[in-house]
Amino acid sequence: MPLFFLMTLVTGVMTGYLFQRDGDEITNIAGVLTAVIFIVSLVLAPWQIQFGLLIFVVIVSNKLLKKNWF
């Protein structure tokens, strides 16, 4: 399973972390860029990881819906 999608994810997270300390407008831009890179890395991820994430989201959303419904 190729893990090249992790390169974009790690780069985005490191950029967001480095610019988190600064209080300028560049922090907001880095945060948006990190979110976009995270979405791109999920698209590039192998189907096994995407399937596992899908199962996780379905289970968590069902628990939250049951909690808020009753």
Side-chain angles (χ1 to χ4, degrees), residues 38 42 48-58:
F38 181 69
L42 287 178
Q48 295 94 343
I49 294 175
Q50 291 177 352
F51 184 70
L53 186 62
L54 176 68
I55 296 298
F56 174 75
V57 167
V58 167

Side-chain angles (χ1 to χ4, degrees), residues 2-70:
L3 298 176
F4 64 90
F5 72 96
L6 288 176
M7 290 180 356
T8 57
L9 182 63
V10 170
T11 304
V13 170
M14 285 176 53
T15 304
Y17 176 73
L18 289 176
F19 285 114
Q20 180 183 13
R21 300 181 207 157
D22 198 11
D24 292 336
E25 193 171 308
I26 192 72
T27 307
N28 297 334
I29 295 170
V32 170
L33 185 64
T34 303
V36 169
I37 288 175
F38 181 69
I39 292 170
V40 168
S41 67
L42 287 178
V43 169
L44 294 175
W47 69 270
Q48 295 94 343
I49 294 175
Q50 291 177 352
F51 184 70
L53 186 62
L54 176 68
I55 296 298
F56 174 75
V57 167
V58 167
I59 290 172
V60 168
S61 65
N62 281 339
K63 288 184 179 181
L64 289 175
L65 284 173
K66 287 180 184 177
K67 180 180 177 183
N68 291 333
W69 188 260
F70 296 108

